[in-house]
Amino acid sequence: MPHNSKRRSSTSLLGAKRPSIQHANTETSQLNLLKEETHTGDHFLSPAQLEVIYRTNVITGLTENFAKELLEHYGPNELKELRGNSYWAIFRHNLFGWFQCVLWCGAILNFIGYFAADVIDPGGEGGHSGDDYLYLGCVITATIVGTGLFGFYQEAKNLAVMSGFEKMVPPNTVVIREGVKKVIPNSDVVLGDIVEMTGGEVVPADVRILSATNFKTDMSSLTGESEPVKHRPECTNANPLETKNMVFFGCPITEGTARGIVVATGELTQIGKIAGLVTGLKKEETPIAKEITHFIKIICGVAFTFGFIFFLMVFFIQNSWLAALQYMLGIILANVPEGLIVTLTVCMTLSANQLKKKNCLAKTLQAVETLGSTSCICSDKTGTLTENQMNVSHLFSNYTIYDKTDHAHVSERAYSILSLAASLNLKAEFSHDTIHLPIEKRKIMGDASESAILRYMEINRSATQARQMNPKEAEIPFSSAYKYQVTIHRMQSTHSYYLIMKGAPEIVLEYCSTVLTEEGDQPINPQAKKELRANFIKLANMGERVIGYCDYNLPLNAYPLGYAFDTQQRNFPVEDLRFIGAISMIDPPRYEIEKSIALCRQAGIKVIMVTGDHPVTALAISRQCGTITQPTAYDYAFEQHIDLADVPSHIKSQFSAAVITGDELRKMSVNDLKAAMKKYDEITFARTSPQQKLFIVETYQSLKHVVAVTGDGVNDSPALKKADIGIAMGITGTEVSKQAADMILLDDNFASIVLGIQEGRRIFDNLKKTIAYTLTSNTPEMLPFVLYACLGMPLPMTLILILVVNVGTDLLPAMSLAYETSEEDIMSIPPRKPTDHLVNRVLIFMAYFQIGLIQFFAGMYAYFVVFAESGFFPSSLLFARESWESPSATVKDTLGRAWFYIDRKRVERRAQTAYFVATCWAQVSDVIICKTRRISLLKKGMTNHVLNFSIIVELVLALLVTYTPLCHEVFSTEPLPWHDFILAWPFFILMILGDELRRYLIRNNYSKWIEEETYLEGFRGLVSLVAKCVSSVLHSFWPAFIKHVCGAHTTRVPDPLTSARTVMSAKLFILCCACAVAAAAPGIYDSYGGYGGYGGYGSYGYAPAIAAPVAHTIAAAPIAHTIAAPAIQPVAHAVAAPVVHAEPIDPNPAYSFSYGVADPSTGDHKDASETLQNGVVHGSYSLVEPDGHVRKVTYTADKVNGFNAVVERTGASHAAPVAVAAPIAKIAVAPAPVAVAAPVAKYTLPAIGGHPWG
């Protein structure tokens, strides 16, 4: 690395100090200095002045001692190492990003909950055990580590380890020191060294040319110039990058030799400044990273806000901060989608693989989506929009311009002579190792222009054969002094010599006196010269490089065969020649590039050409590609035959398209450039430097554009690094550009970018669908804790089951949405604005308050039905938490039966399992409706086979959790009868049909409001929405809640607006409940009549002597079902208890039931109960007769002692055994039954026969 020192200036003879990056006190000021344009005067100075400035001698060079001092003072001639992100940085990003940190907090809270379970939940009376916290913490930790390692692997395998600049530095250099020529390591080159350079090498530093012989360098990677630049000692331009007497570090030398003086080394060379810029620039956060951060902030805000609210509520209700902390933890964890990080990683990985198939290699996963967010593409010309290969475009002869594909005139004399001359006057040759390949694929040794002519003439005129038949006898090479090239050939057909001259057409024309036409040779008069020049200008204005040709048939008598031509003395004529025509060449646009750019325009994306090429050439290519379609000031100047500088300013201001050059950019401030970008719809930037490209990118970013930059050269690397997404060329791109970029085009084709944009937009849409799907389960996961804390109900869903949903059943369906195909109009809509977030108000509203609420109703419906089947109606569950969770307390159900802790916990686990299964069914319907936002499911179809498979997997997982003993132990679940497993089907159908109706209304434009409120509208109004919901809920339910807790009801006069909101919210809530209940009504059934024996758990012959109508009411469904109990016969003095609905609870034979029933026609009232513990049946029943006597029977039974009973009537005791029908056999058939009976009727309804739907 260079030392912190100052360097001598070349801008002054007084030896003032050159500006250096070491002057800066901070990294920012150093970077700003590197962004400035290069200002140096080395190219203006004479050799004598350079000797004074650099204290050297142009003949003998530096002394060894002085060179050693300079090396110690300035440091070695090396470039700053350019590396991408380290493996540790990538690993840290994937393991400790925003999202990961939130999950780490959740895992830590769970571990704290596990270790403090005895304090937080003594005796296990809470809604979940310490093991739940441990399982949840371990799974979240495994999720973070697993996805982190997966993301690290995906990004690390595309990481380039080597610095691209290292390959640009030559290992050794020839220098002259103390008059002796030496070969030294290139790192030892210092300021003032005299270096010698030859073709095939690399320029060792920034060098001012002192002498040169046909010396050419390839500066395309630095300036974008596609043609090799021929250098000479004279200054030709004020811009140091364009003058011919300067060569720059790292540029390949194509041919010739030169001697020069080193004027800059290491990081102060042009390439070193670019390396410093690339290394120092900090990339902006990608759009998807911003969206994920925004999403995390919303989720964390919602989670912690609700958690804190319920912490306060529970604290004031229960006066226990430990219990409040437990509820807060449950609310927070229910809101954090633990499986979403897995889904995001997998989705972007899948999309990256899809892009790779389309020749776009994403180096980072987040770059995949960034391309879809792009609103402005700053594209390099050479190699990206064009083929990076010069091709013949037009031929000019006989005062006519012919297209290269027009072969109708090949037989014309002027055309054929021009083709022959162009075939012969060539230095370029086909490489021998590729001569067997097709002409288009052969490698050519020579410059770009001659290679283009040779390839074209070989295809159309067989140039190789013509050159063999007419060998070259003499040649005057091209020189910048006279700007032409001459060859003399011995012609086989005429056995004479043929002279051909080529060069710049306006130069060649000056050596001619006649012009070849179909009518013969015509003298060149002023009118003919004007017409010829007008054609040259026309070709030049098309952005083409024009080469003119003239010839002379040497007379055989003056130049007989064997004549000795002397090119130094020029013993042959080079004046009074015949002008035969011209050939123009251009680096043509890529195939179908115009179509690709038109697609970008249709998608609302600006395409800006930024090139180092000449403005006229840039404008011509822009027109052919379609980046400029409107007139510019250049077109006006061409039409009026005036210079651009002569175009009046008021005329320039009328155009909506412009070509802005580097010289104009130097005079512009940031505000000036912003004004130009806003004013002109179409812009092309020409003759730009690397610093100016960076300036352009930063300005577009300041205008809130998401900028993509394409490039292949070293000069593009700062802009590639700074862009939101840098795209390098995989074939022609330099190592430096590939290192600085985020994505590599493997085929160098701009059309691949368009495919990448479409894929990126599809990714964003699918990510939005994935997040919408994932968030909907938050509502059914969070609201159970609300009911548990505020209404004192048994917990409907445990933390461990929440985890099963988040990282189990939901995971594969969420990932499968990444395989969804794009919407039909995805490339017809403008790029999303920065304010159009991944998670916006509408998505939150849909997920939490529409789909999420329906899922919650589905779960609560299943929850209440399962409890009702065991005799616990909703009214008996409210505010029963304290006694319910106490192992020592007994709880009575709606029928007045006492339940022990173990038995009621078993029922609770079955209800929690039903809630979980209902949530799974609702999520299946949710993933189906998330497939498309507009297109009908009937049209879209279920062609996403990954999604179809994921639905099957989700249901299989639900079955495993419900029915496998291992899952019962781990997840605290209980098996369900088959009918309870499908309780959520009405809601499943309701969600699909409702969303299909929504899409139908949107497609047919029935309601713009529906579209805005269910998909499109942005995030604005989220705060007001939450405020409205909270206000409405509090206003509707808070007084009743306070009355229950405090025993008082506060009243106030509500304002009309709040009242209206309250009424509206209440109506919507009631309507939603009513729709859910109406859809679910056919699924609400009890177990009496018509189901006498499903699943082997049917009723047996025990019932009251007199059939009585029984009213069966369930809170979730405001419909009273009246079911007639089947009549059976009484037996002796005892009436056997009816087992109306028995079903297995535990593999061990144990059960408990009780019920009461009355017959209004006779006045009989009967209560009965029975338990089975440790193989012994204990039972009793009593019957109140109309005369007031009470008959009570107490009995026991087992397999050893048989059946024994004691009968009591109105206090009288009969100790002798009574023959009563023993239920032992029945019990053996149906082990562990639980009787579910209807409650005693509070009112009488007419009895109906059979089941209501039977």
Side-chain angles (χ1 to χ4, degrees):
M1 298 294 292
H3 298 181
N4 290 335
S5 57
K6 302 175 183 178
R7 300 193 177 183
R8 301 182 65 84
S9 172
S10 61
T11 60
S12 169
L13 298 179
L14 300 178
K17 302 296 183 182
R18 173 180 295 196
S20 170
I21 62 172
Q22 284 79 16
H23 280 168
N25 295 323
T26 65
E27 184 178 349
T28 302
S29 59
Q30 292 178 3
L31 194 61
N32 290 335
L33 185 61
L34 289 173
K35 290 180 181 180
E36 293 179 1
E37 284 290 306
T38 300
H39 300 289
T40 179
D42 293 321
H43 54 303
F44 292 119
L45 303 180
S46 66
Q49 291 171 327
L50 290 170
E51 284 182 329
V52 175
I53 291 293
Y54 292 102
R55 292 181 287 177
T56 186
N57 187 288
V58 296
I59 304 298
T60 61
L62 296 172
T63 63
E64 287 290 350
N65 291 335
F66 187 50
K68 186 176 181 181
E69 290 180 15
L70 291 173
L71 183 62
E72 293 178 354
H73 187 62
Y74 294 122
N77 179 32
E78 295 175 346
L79 298 177
K80 181 176 289 187
E81 187 177 12
L82 172 64
R83 292 189 181 273
N85 291 330
S86 65
Y87 286 110
W88 167 243
I90 296 175
F91 181 77
R92 187 176 65 244
H93 170 74
N94 281 279
L95 215 59
F96 300 101
W98 249 100
F99 207 162
Q100 290 84 351
C101 286
V102 172
L103 295 183
W104 277 121
C105 292
I108 292 171
L109 286 174
N110 275 283
F111 289 129
I112 292 174
Y114 170 71
F115 289 111
D118 293 337
V119 179
I120 296 176
D121 189 14
E125 297 182 8
H128 27 260
S129 65
D131 290 342
D132 289 349
Y133 291 112
L134 178 62
Y135 293 149
L136 192 58
C138 290
V139 174
I140 292 176
T141 302
T143 300
I144 301 170
V145 175
T147 55
L149 292 176
F150 182 77
F152 168 75
Y153 168 74
Q154 291 295 328
E155 294 189 17
K157 71 179 183 180
N158 292 330
L159 180 67
V161 180
M162 261 191 73
S163 165
F165 287 110
E166 293 175 1
K167 297 185 178 181
M168 303 183 65
V169 179
N172 300 306
T173 305
V174 177
V175 301
I176 299 174
R177 289 183 180 173
E178 298 179 346
V180 179
K181 189 181 298 185
K182 297 181 179 181
V183 178
I184 65 172
N186 193 73
S187 59
D188 292 344
V189 173
V190 296
L191 290 174
D193 260 329
I194 305 301
V195 296
E196 288 191 352
M197 301 166 287
T198 59
E201 297 177 353
V202 176
V203 179
D206 283 5
V207 178
R208 158 68 197 275
I209 299 295
L210 299 175
S211 63
T213 303
N214 198 33
F215 185 70
K216 295 181 180 180
T217 63
D218 181 4
M219 295 178 62
S220 59
S221 64
L222 189 62
T223 64
E225 182 67 48
S226 55
E227 285 281 332
V229 177
K230 189 167 185 178
H231 298 277
R232 59 178 185 268
E234 298 82 13
C235 177
T236 60
N237 197 297
N239 187 343
L241 290 175
E242 296 188 20
T243 185
K244 300 296 178 63
N245 65 348
M246 290 290 295
V247 291
F248 300 100
F249 193 7
C251 291
I253 303 169
T254 57
E255 61 177 301
T257 60
R259 173 183 287 199
I261 181 172
V262 175
V263 296
T265 60
E267 294 178 14
L268 288 183
T269 60
Q270 292 297 318
I271 208 75
K273 292 177 181 178
I274 294 174
L277 269 178
V278 175
T279 306
L281 285 171
K282 300 298 181 184
K283 202 168 191 68
E284 292 288 332
E285 195 177 23
T286 61
I288 192 63
K290 294 177 182 177
E291 290 304 318
I292 291 175
T293 301
H294 177 262
F295 168 64
I296 292 301
K297 289 179 180 178
I298 291 176
I299 291 298
C300 290
V302 171
F304 285 98
T305 299
F306 280 112
F308 182 70
I309 290 174
F310 284 100
F311 176 85
L312 294 178
M313 291 174 61
V314 174
F315 178 76
F316 287 118
I317 294 171
Q318 301 183 20
N319 198 26
S320 171
W321 70 270
L322 291 175
L325 183 64
Q326 183 185 23
Y327 297 133
M328 183 181 74
L329 180 61
I331 291 291
I332 291 174
L333 294 178
N335 273 279
V336 176
E338 292 87 356
L340 188 58
I341 184 66
V342 183
T343 303
L344 290 174
T345 304
V346 173
C347 284
M348 288 190 285
T349 301
L350 293 172
S351 299
N353 293 334
Q354 290 293 325
L355 278 177
K356 189 174 181 180
K357 294 178 182 178
K358 298 177 181 179
N359 295 311
C360 294
L361 176 62
K363 292 170 63 178
T364 61
L365 295 180
Q366 293 184 349
V368 177
E369 190 279 331
T370 306
L371 192 58
S373 305
T374 299
S375 60
C376 176
I377 301 176
C378 294
S379 177
D380 184 36
K381 175 183 74 71
T382 306
T384 308
L385 298 177
T386 64
E387 295 179 356
N388 194 26
Q389 180 179 337
M390 293 291 287
N391 285 332
V392 171
S393 179
H394 294 93
L395 289 84
F396 170 75
S397 66
N398 193 30
Y399 290 98
T400 306
I401 296 176
Y402 301 107
D403 188 82
K404 66 175 182 178
T405 59
D406 184 2
H407 302 296
H409 310 277
V410 293
S411 59
E412 295 179 0
R413 180 169 175 262
Y415 191 96
S416 60
I417 290 177
L418 173 63
S419 299
L420 177 63
S423 300
L424 296 177
N425 192 311
L426 286 172
K427 291 181 65 178
E429 294 182 352
F430 289 111
S431 176
H432 292 290
D433 57 347
T434 60
I435 196 68
H436 61 284
L437 297 176
I439 297 174
E440 294 83 356
K441 297 183 180 180
R442 293 181 191 174
K443 183 178 180 181
I444 299 177
M445 297 179 292
D447 62 39
S449 298
E450 289 210 340
S451 298
I453 295 173
L454 174 58
R455 198 180 302 275
Y456 178 80
M457 291 302 170
E458 183 70 17
I459 293 173
N460 296 283
R461 303 290 292 183
S462 187
T464 301
Q465 183 179 356
R467 294 166 76 182
Q468 292 174 350
M469 294 174 58
N470 307 288
K472 181 166 56 179
E473 296 291 327
E475 179 180 10
I476 300 177
F478 181 85
S479 170
S480 57
Y482 41 80
K483 296 184 179 179
Y484 60 75
Q485 175 186 350
V486 175
T487 57
I488 299 176
H489 301 264
R490 187 178 61 192
M491 305 302 292
Q492 184 182 42
S493 59
T494 60
H495 300 285
S496 60
Y497 291 110
Y498 182 49
L499 181 147
I500 306 169
M501 176 187 287
K502 76 173 179 182
E506 62 274 11
I507 299 298
V508 169
L509 190 60
E510 297 299 323
Y511 292 94
C512 299
S513 58
T514 60
V515 57
L516 176 63
T517 66
E518 286 304 306
E519 289 77 22
D521 297 345
Q522 303 291 333
I524 297 180
N525 53 34
Q527 180 63 31
K529 186 175 290 188
K530 181 179 179 180
E531 187 174 351
L532 289 171
R533 286 176 176 171
N535 283 284
F536 300 156
I537 293 173
K538 184 177 180 180
L539 290 172
N541 289 343
M542 295 166 65
E544 300 176 5
R545 183 181 181 189
V546 185
I547 296 179
Y549 289 87
C550 58
D551 67 353
Y552 184 73
N553 290 298
L554 297 176
L556 187 59
N557 56 355
Y559 303 95
L561 295 179
Y563 183 82
F565 293 98
D566 187 350
T567 56
Q568 297 296 326
Q569 298 298 324
R570 300 199 177 178
N571 54 353
F572 51 86
V574 291
E575 295 182 352
D576 293 329
L577 307 180
R578 178 182 62 177
F579 185 81
I580 56 177
I583 295 177
S584 65
M585 291 151 290
I586 195 171
D587 182 8
R590 286 185 175 272
Y591 177 69
E592 291 189 343
I593 186 67
E594 189 174 5
K595 180 180 178 181
S596 299
I597 291 177
L599 282 175
C600 289
R601 287 181 177 277
Q602 179 183 339
I605 302 171
K606 287 178 173 287
V607 182
I608 310 296
M609 180 189 290
V610 183
T611 180
D613 216 334
H614 192 278
V616 174
T617 304
L619 176 60
I621 297 297
S622 295
R623 291 210 177 281
Q624 294 181 41
C625 294
T627 58
I628 287 187
T629 59
Q630 304 177 50
T632 66
Y634 278 86
D635 298 297
Y636 181 85
F638 296 155
E639 292 174 0
Q640 301 299 321
H641 303 288
I642 59 176
D643 292 333
L644 181 67
D646 297 330
V647 178
S649 57
H650 71 278
I651 298 293
K652 288 183 178 179
S653 62
Q654 296 178 8
F655 296 102
S656 57
V659 177
I660 300 177
T661 64
D663 291 335
E664 294 171 326
L665 274 176
R666 290 186 187 95
K667 303 172 185 177
M668 286 184 172
S669 65
V670 175
N671 291 332
D672 293 336
L673 184 55
K674 284 184 179 180
M677 290 175 173
K678 293 177 181 178
K679 175 182 177 182
Y680 297 113
D681 299 328
E682 302 168 342
I683 304 179
T684 289
F685 294 94
R687 288 295 190 209
T688 54
S689 66
Q691 289 84 355
Q692 289 174 336
K693 289 187 178 183
L694 178 60
F695 177 43
I696 293 167
V697 171
E698 291 179 331
T699 307
Y700 270 116
Q701 287 177 329
S702 68
L703 293 174
K704 304 303 180 183
H705 283 285
V706 177
V707 182
V709 171
T710 68
D712 58 354
V714 177
N715 59 325
D716 300 318
S717 55
L720 288 170
K721 180 70 177 292
K722 183 62 178 176
D724 294 290
I725 177 168
I727 305 171
M729 303 297 109
I731 300 175
T732 61
T734 61
E735 291 295 326
V736 178
S737 64
K738 294 177 185 178
Q739 180 65 25
D742 304 290
M743 186 174 287
I744 299 174
L745 292 185
L746 300 178
D747 59 353
D748 287 11
N749 195 347
F750 186 88
S752 299
I753 299 177
V754 179
L755 295 175
I757 291 172
Q758 183 173 354
E759 183 69 18
R761 290 189 173 190
R762 186 183 70 86
I763 292 167
F764 187 82
D765 272 4
N766 288 347
L767 283 179
K768 200 165 188 175
K769 296 172 183 177
T770 297
I771 290 177
Y773 168 76
T774 306
L775 290 184
T776 51
S777 62
N778 283 5
T779 299
E781 291 171 357
M782 179 176 63
L783 290 183
F785 287 94
V786 178
L787 300 181
Y788 181 59
C790 299
L791 300 182
M793 297 172 57
L795 185 63
M797 195 175 196
T798 61
L799 285 178
I800 198 68
L801 287 178
I802 289 175
L803 184 67
V804 172
V805 172
N806 287 351
V807 297
T809 59
D810 274 3
L811 196 58
L812 192 56
M815 290 188 294
S816 69
L817 288 170
Y819 289 91
E820 281 298 320
T821 56
S822 58
E823 302 281 342
E824 293 178 342
D825 59 348
I826 196 166
M827 290 299 286
S828 301
I829 57 178
R832 65 181 181 88
K833 299 177 182 178
T835 54
D836 295 339
H837 294 297
L838 186 65
V839 180
N840 55 30
R841 182 187 70 84
V842 175
L843 190 146
I844 290 287
F845 183 79
M846 283 281 292
Y848 280 90
F849 300 107
Q850 294 184 42
I851 307 299
L853 276 179
I854 296 176
Q855 292 190 4
F856 170 68
F857 294 147
M860 291 307 297
Y861 166 65
Y863 172 86
F864 282 134
V865 166
V866 170
F867 263 119
E869 288 174 348
S870 297
F872 289 95
F873 285 15
S875 59
S876 63
L877 299 175
L878 296 177
F879 305 104
R881 175 178 43 77
E882 184 175 353
S883 57
W884 186 277
E885 302 294 348
S886 176
S888 59
T890 58
V891 177
K892 291 187 177 182
D893 59 14
T894 308
L895 310 178
R897 299 172 299 179
W899 287 76
F900 296 112
Y901 179 78
I902 296 176
D903 299 324
R904 64 176 180 266
K905 274 294 183 179
R906 190 175 294 120
V907 177
E908 179 187 16
R909 288 196 297 271
R910 189 163 77 247
Q912 290 169 344
T913 306
Y915 189 101
F916 162 76
V917 171
T919 302
C920 291
W921 277 113
Q923 282 292 81
V924 169
S925 62
D926 187 23
V927 76
I928 293 174
I929 66 178
C930 282
K931 283 171 57 69
T932 171
R933 70 176 191 268
R934 285 173 169 269
I935 305 173
S936 170
L937 281 174
L938 298 176
K939 182 177 181 180
K940 183 84 171 179
M942 298 296 289
T943 57
N944 184 350
H945 301 300
V946 178
L947 184 141
N948 300 337
F949 176 73
S950 71
I951 292 175
I952 297 173
V953 170
E954 179 168 10
L955 295 177
V956 169
L957 289 176
L959 287 168
L960 291 175
V961 171
T962 305
Y963 294 110
T964 57
L966 178 62
C967 292
H968 296 165
E969 176 66 25
V970 175
F971 303 122
S972 299
T973 55
E974 290 284 335
L976 299 174
W978 68 268
H979 53 84
D980 285 348
F981 193 85
I982 59 173
L983 283 174
W985 274 15
F987 297 88
F988 175 89
I989 299 171
L990 170 70
M991 291 172 63
I992 294 177
L993 294 181
D995 204 70
E996 188 67 20
L997 176 62
R998 177 190 67 85
R999 285 190 290 266
Y1000 175 80
L1001 295 177
I1002 291 175
R1003 288 195 308 272
N1004 292 274
N1005 296 318
Y1006 283 115
S1007 174
K1008 190 69 175 177
W1009 178 85
I1010 294 177
E1011 182 172 11
E1012 291 175 350
E1013 292 302 316
T1014 56
Y1015 190 81
L1016 294 179
E1017 188 170 329
F1019 187 69
R1020 64 182 185 274
L1022 175 60
V1023 177
S1024 63
L1025 172 70
V1026 174
K1028 289 177 183 177
C1029 292
V1030 172
S1031 173
S1032 299
V1033 170
L1034 290 180
H1035 189 267
S1036 300
F1037 303 110
W1038 186 254
F1041 179 77
I1042 292 297
K1043 181 178 181 180
H1044 172 79
V1045 175
C1046 305
H1049 179 65
T1050 57
T1051 58
R1052 64 180 177 86
V1053 179
D1055 68 282
L1057 180 58
T1058 305
S1059 299
R1061 289 174 179 170
T1062 303
V1063 172
M1064 180 192 69
S1065 298
K1067 288 180 178 178
L1068 287 176
F1069 187 78
I1070 293 171
L1071 178 62
C1072 188
C1073 292
C1075 292
V1077 170
I1084 299 177
Y1085 49 81
D1086 36 47
S1087 309
Y1088 315 124
Y1091 289 91
Y1094 53 85
Y1097 306 115
S1099 60
Y1100 296 96
Y1102 311 111
I1106 302 174
V1110 181
H1112 181 190
T1113 308
I1114 295 179
I1119 303 173
H1121 302 303
T1122 304
I1123 305 171
I1128 61 172
Q1129 300 299 321
V1131 181
H1133 297 286
V1135 180
V1139 182
V1140 182
H1141 178 187
E1143 56 187 86
I1145 297 299
D1146 194 281
N1148 298 318
Y1151 66 85
S1152 174
F1153 72 85
S1154 62
Y1155 80 101
V1157 67
D1159 184 0
S1161 62
T1162 64
D1164 286 350
H1165 183 110
K1166 187 178 76 66
D1167 294 306
S1169 64
E1170 182 176 299
T1171 62
L1172 172 62
Q1173 291 288 342
N1174 301 320
V1176 180
V1177 176
H1178 300 272
S1180 67
Y1181 62 87
S1182 61
L1183 180 65
V1184 181
E1185 298 176 347
D1187 58 0
H1189 290 86
V1190 177
R1191 182 182 302 162
K1192 182 176 182 181
V1193 179
T1194 304
Y1195 59 88
T1196 62
D1198 57 39
K1199 292 184 179 181
V1200 177
N1201 300 316
F1203 184 87
N1204 294 284
V1206 175
V1207 181
E1208 297 177 7
R1209 183 175 186 276
T1210 317
S1213 176
H1214 301 274
V1218 179
V1220 181
I1224 298 287
K1226 301 300 182 182
I1227 296 170
V1229 176
V1234 169
V1236 178
V1240 176
K1242 298 295 191 299
Y1243 49 88
T1244 302
L1245 292 176
I1248 56 176
H1251 195 276
W1253 301 291

